[in-house]
Amino acid sequence: MADTREEAQQHLKEVAHEVRGATSRGAADAAEERERAASARKGALFLAAVVVAYVLYLVFSGQMATFIEALAGVRAPWVVGASLCFVMYFIFGVLAYAIAVYLDHDSPVGILDLMSVEASGIFFGNLTPMMAGAVPSQIVRLTRTGLDVGEASATQFTRFIVFQLAVVLFAALMLVAKLSFFFEAYGNIVVLNLLVFGVHLAECVGLFVICLCPGLVMRVGNWAIAFLSKRGWLKDRAKWDQMVNVQVTEFSQAFKRAARDLPSMFATLVVTMAQLGSLYMIPWFVLHAFGRTGDFLECLAAGSMVQMVASAVPLPGGTGGAEGGFVMFYQRMFGPATSAGFIVWRIVTFFAPTIISAPLLGLTTKNRTVSIYERVQRLKRGRSGGGGAVRINPRRLTRRK
């Protein structure tokens, strides 16, 4: 009887601890959401100003007539094709998350949840400098599916690492395949290609150092924090302590857990490469929309360079880098239609996805009792959906928000 009473008391303590944890996490999530929303509003206002600046530039540079003439001759089917490429980009992004969820056999995450996660990355990433809002927003969205913070972080960190690796790998393949094209077409500007690629490569190497050598990173990080703090150069020490001593460990553990299943990581890498290819081929479709032709692989290579340049600019949407990169790498292909081509490309890859992703943020899988893993197994066995036993851990379902 005493044992039963003690067990009940222990259970009540555990429940109370979970409630307190959920409450504190909820408050932190709410504060973080307000901060992201404010940042997104500022980004939206900034981009609205950029659109006005585009129009003013065309007017005062005397290109408005050429711009309108070029737009008037746009071939709609090719623009639709470009738009479908971005749809494929979105689908591959969801599929990359689905691979991670599939490996967790009793995961409460559904396809609509993953669509919301991918849309969250697009929306908050496009409206914050250097896409800084993408990863935090996606982690929070994953916790609302029933994953705890550790599980959500592990899924997101693994996806982030593989994505960065894919960006560098894709660019490396394009540079190797089309280096002679870059030299012939752009001359010394190729140095910029190599510089931007080097920066992204260094970022990727840095991520792998954090993942594989967390102890070394923490020692160096703590030394740097102490050094800067002692001289009064560090304003928020607690934030940097948290990043070095907590987030580095979480990042490393998430990667090591994922690395145990190399086939799934390789599959995620392949899907991510296909996702990037869908994005980088869009200028080829836009080129044909204006009645011009170009080598597909050259357009793909130039697309990877433009995206890398844009992502290096610390402004929402890579503003400045996107414009400069497009003119630099595509002007010889588009000719007089460069300005119009840029606007169409920017609408397809940036403005339209940002607007369309907003209503997708609220997507959620409801009334679901069967995990993605079990659904796939049923398809393999030739069985239809409905019926069957519950395949999701009930404790994880109670964490859904």
Side-chain angles (χ1 to χ4, degrees):
M1 194 69 174
D3 290 343
T4 303
R5 193 162 51 247
E6 287 178 4
E7 288 176 3
Q9 290 174 345
Q10 180 63 29
H11 179 67
L12 287 173
K13 287 179 182 178
E14 290 177 359
V15 171
H17 178 72
E18 286 187 9
V19 170
R20 284 195 299 272
T23 303
S24 62
R25 284 197 303 273
D29 287 350
E32 194 172 343
E33 273 201 23
R34 285 194 296 270
E35 185 178 344
R36 279 200 311 276
S39 179
R41 282 194 296 272
K42 292 176 183 176
L45 291 173
F46 174 80
L47 293 171
V50 169
V51 173
V52 173
Y54 287 163
V55 175
L56 293 177
Y57 168 75
L58 290 172
V59 171
F60 288 107
S61 64
Q63 298 183 51
M64 182 58 80
T66 306
F67 172 77
I68 294 174
E69 184 181 346
L71 281 182
V74 168
R75 301 175 181 178
W78 287 99
V79 177
V80 172
S83 302
L84 290 176
C85 285
F86 197 90
V87 171
M88 292 305 301
Y89 173 87
F90 181 83
I91 291 173
F92 281 126
V94 174
L95 181 58
Y97 278 109
I99 293 173
V101 173
Y102 172 81
L103 296 172
D104 187 357
H105 295 182
D106 66 351
S107 173
V109 184
I111 294 297
L112 289 180
D113 294 322
L114 296 180
M115 290 175 65
S116 175
V117 170
E118 184 67 14
S120 180
I122 292 172
F123 182 79
F124 288 103
N126 285 352
L127 295 179
T128 52
M130 300 183 75
M131 301 191 74
V135 171
S137 69
Q138 289 174 313
I139 290 176
V140 170
R141 184 64 191 85
L142 283 167
T143 62
R144 292 182 171 179
T145 68
L147 302 183
D148 62 31
V149 175
E151 292 169 333
S153 298
T155 300
Q156 182 58 39
F157 288 159
T158 303
R159 171 78 175 112
F160 178 73
I161 293 169
V162 173
F163 189 88
Q164 295 303 315
L165 176 60
V167 168
V168 171
L169 181 58
F170 201 109
L173 292 174
M174 291 297 99
L175 282 173
V176 170
K178 286 294 178 180
L179 190 60
S180 59
F181 156 72
F182 281 120
F183 272 115
E184 292 170 6
Y186 310 111
N188 292 333
I189 293 179
V190 177
V191 174
L192 177 63
N193 290 25
L194 299 175
L195 179 62
V196 172
F197 173 77
V199 170
H200 282 269
L201 179 61
E203 290 177 354
C204 193
V205 170
L207 286 174
F208 277 97
V209 170
I210 292 173
C211 292
L212 301 176
C213 309
L216 173 63
V217 173
M218 290 168 67
R219 286 194 296 273
V220 173
N222 283 316
W223 175 85
I225 289 172
F227 178 82
L228 296 172
S229 183
K230 191 176 295 184
R231 286 157 180 77
W233 297 342
L234 204 63
K235 294 182 179 179
D236 190 354
R237 176 164 183 164
K239 172 186 174 183
W240 292 101
D241 278 330
Q242 165 80 7
M243 183 178 295
V244 169
N245 298 300
V246 177
Q247 293 185 21
V248 166
T249 301
E250 290 180 350
F251 204 81
S252 176
Q253 290 174 346
F255 177 79
K256 289 176 180 177
R257 281 196 297 269
R260 293 172 189 164
D261 194 334
L262 289 177
S264 70
M265 284 200 73
F266 180 74
T268 304
L269 178 62
V270 171
V271 169
T272 306
M273 292 284 281
Q275 181 185 21
L276 291 172
S278 299
L279 180 66
Y280 298 158
M281 71 173 64
I282 290 176
W284 185 80
F285 282 85
V286 176
L287 192 65
H288 282 76
F290 287 91
R292 305 180 73 87
T293 58
D295 181 82
F296 179 77
L297 199 57
E298 289 176 4
C299 285
L300 207 61
S304 69
M305 291 300 112
V306 171
Q307 204 63 35
M308 292 182 81
V309 171
S311 64
V313 176
L315 288 173
T319 302
E323 292 84 351
F326 190 90
V327 171
M328 187 185 303
F329 293 108
Y330 284 111
Q331 189 170 29
R332 62 184 296 275
M333 301 181 192
F334 279 86
T338 300
S339 296
F342 169 76
I343 295 295
V344 172
W345 170 74
R346 197 67 163 149
I347 289 172
V348 171
T349 61
F350 184 77
F351 290 110
T354 303
I355 294 169
I356 294 172
S357 63
L360 301 182
L361 299 179
L363 289 177
T364 184
T365 304
K366 298 177 180 178
N367 302 323
R368 175 177 36 76
T369 56
V370 181
S371 67
I372 290 178
Y373 172 82
E374 178 59 20
R375 290 177 187 276
V376 172
Q377 297 309 306
R378 288 182 176 184
L379 288 174
K380 287 181 178 179
R381 294 192 297 265
R383 294 170 54 185
S384 59
V390 173
R391 299 292 181 177
I392 295 175
N393 187 335
R395 286 175 63 88
R396 301 175 81 178
L397 283 174
T398 61
R399 294 200 296 257
R400 291 178 65 87
K401 298 179 183 178

